Amino acid sequence: LIQETGETRLLGVGVVGNDYGNHAMPGWFNGTVGYHIDDGKIFDAEHPTKGIEYEDAMAHRGDLIGCTVRFDLAKDGKVPVV
């Protein structure tokens, strides 16, 4: 739940390996995917620097955000970003 945004909003929610650490946002490196609330974009291995824009993807005060991984949609060992 986003309680306060202030002037700067930097938050990323995503999926990374257990050795990823906290040095970078999810989605910036291969094998990770992440949603960044500062620009409302999804980042993954194919779009690590510019991300993918989705309509109405921005998060604001009072929004509850989360991440769901649908392994049942995997093809050839890859889970699509939807």
Side-chain angles (χ1 to χ4, degrees):
L1 176 65
I2 300 173
Q3 294 182 338
E4 188 62 51
T5 60
E7 292 295 318
T8 304
R9 300 176 301 155
L10 295 175
L11 176 66
V13 176
V15 178
V16 300
N18 62 355
D19 60 343
Y20 194 69
N22 60 2
H23 65 283
M25 297 283 270
W28 282 354
F29 293 101
N30 198 20
T32 70
V33 63
Y35 163 70
H36 301 182
I37 70 162
D38 60 312
D39 54 17
K41 295 180 181 177
I42 303 286
F43 292 78
D44 63 7
E46 293 181 25
H47 307 93
T49 57
K50 294 186 179 181
I52 305 167
E53 289 189 41
Y54 288 92
E55 188 174 336
D56 297 324
M58 288 297 290
H60 302 280
R61 182 179 181 179
D63 288 350
L64 181 64
I65 59 174
C67 179
T68 300
V69 180
R70 298 276 314 269
F71 291 104
D72 58 319
L73 300 177
K75 286 187 176 185
D76 300 321
K78 294 183 180 183
V79 177
V81 177
V82 294

